[in-house]
Amino acid sequence: GRLKRQKYNPERAQKLKDSAVRLLRSHQDLTALLLEVEGPPCKKLSLSKLMDCDSSEACTNHSSSFIGSALQDQASRLGVPVGVLSAGMVASSVGQVCTAAAETSHPVLLTVEQRKKLSSLLEFAQYLLAHSMFSRLSFCQELWKIQNSLLLEVVWHLHVQGIVSLEELLESHPDMRAVGAWLFRNLCCLCEQIEASCQHADVTRAMLSDFVQMFVLRGFQKNSDLRRTVEPEKMPQVAVDVLQRMLIFALDALAAGVQEESSTHKTVRASAAHS
């Protein structure tokens, strides 16, 4: 018999789109999504090549535009929002930068070369944001999937350059206690680096100052002053948790009489100087 043509069902269409997004996140190799795209002036363009590019700003802008157009075409073929697709791809590239940095001696900082690559990547993310082709929420969710390798300096750059604020990133995490513990561990490592590294001194001091200032401001704001969000209590909760951990750590270290120039003493001294 003849098959009857199904009528358009908006609810069914949305379910299919949601299923496609879940399938994409689970199985799509986002790092190879734009492995080879033909077009002038470069025969092959990808995010990795854009990150390594030392060419002019005009060429960088052309590359961003070209990859953005390819993303839109790919999203249309897959039937998923371009913002979700681009967020996943950028997060995957951020993960590559963090993984490479994890092999160095700095547990929270990037090398000069990695910092350049991240800067190029974030310029591309800013292009996507400016053209409404980037989902901040999806990006945050993808970043927390690589939480174990996510570097604090990367989080700071994302915040400073306006890709996603620290508040947006923290509020997207499902477990506030876990994210508080993650931040505390990384801040302790950052404090040690302030004393140990002259090469990254400006970056580490700026990072610690910004983080501590934000935690103090958000942790001690009155409820009436809080910005209205979906769950406005999350950020103050994390801020207070991190500050309490830092205070307890400092008091325990002082009570134990830690030796000068030890890693614990350096951490306490650096955190006190920026509080």
Side-chain angles (χ1 to χ4, degrees), residues 82-186:
V82 65
V84 173
L85 184 64
S86 61
M89 192 176 70
V90 174
S92 180
S93 297
V94 168
Q96 290 180 353
V97 174
C98 292
T99 300
E103 299 174 358
T104 67
S105 59
H106 299 293
V108 291
L109 300 175
L110 299 168
T111 64
V112 175
E113 184 63 27
Q114 291 157 357
R115 206 166 283 148
K116 289 180 181 179
K117 290 185 177 183
L118 180 67
S119 177
S120 298
L121 179 60
L122 297 189
E123 284 182 12
F124 176 62
Q126 288 173 336
Y127 170 88
L128 293 173
L129 276 169
H131 291 79
S132 302
M133 293 191 297
F134 189 83
S135 169
R136 283 188 168 97
L137 178 58
S138 295
F139 181 65
C140 291
Q141 293 171 342
E142 293 298 322
L143 282 183
W144 287 127
K145 293 180 181 179
I146 57 168
Q147 178 177 331
N148 292 335
S149 60
L150 185 61
L151 296 187
L152 192 64
E153 184 181 345
V154 171
V155 172
W156 179 68
H157 282 295
L158 290 171
H159 173 79
V160 171
Q161 296 193 31
I163 307 302
V164 288
S165 68
L166 179 63
E167 185 168 352
E168 286 179 289
L169 186 60
L170 297 184
E171 288 182 349
S172 67
H173 197 286
D175 189 342
M176 292 298 98
R177 292 289 296 175
V179 78
W182 179 83
L183 276 169
F184 171 69
R185 288 195 304 271
N186 280 273

Side-chain angles (χ1 to χ4, degrees), residues 7 12 19 23 31 45 58 71 74 81 93 99-101 105 123 127 130 137 142 144 203 219 235 239-240 246 254:
K7 294 182 180 180
R12 183 172 178 272
S19 298
L23 184 63
T31 60
L45 282 177
L71 272 171
Q74 183 73 0
S93 297
T99 300
S105 59
E123 284 182 12
Y127 170 88
L137 178 58
E142 293 298 322
W144 287 127
V203 174
M235 183 61 189
V240 170
M246 294 177 70
L254 292 173

Side-chain angles (χ1 to χ4, degrees), residues 228-245:
R228 295 296 180 184
T229 60
V230 178
E231 295 183 67
E233 75 282 356
K234 279 190 175 183
M235 183 61 189
Q237 177 185 340
V238 174
V240 170
D241 182 43
V242 172
L243 291 173
Q244 285 180 338
R245 289 174 185 269

Side-chain angles (χ1 to χ4, degrees), residues 12 22 36 42 45-46 55-56 70 74 80 85 92 98 100 123 150 158 180 196 198 203 211 224 226 232 260 266 270:
R12 183 172 178 272
R22 287 195 297 271
E36 184 172 325
C42 304
L45 282 177
S46 68
S55 56
S56 65
Q74 183 73 0
V80 298
L85 184 64
S92 180
C98 292
E123 284 182 12
L150 185 61
L158 290 171
C198 296
V203 174
F211 280 124
S224 58
L226 293 179
E260 289 191 17
K266 291 178 181 179

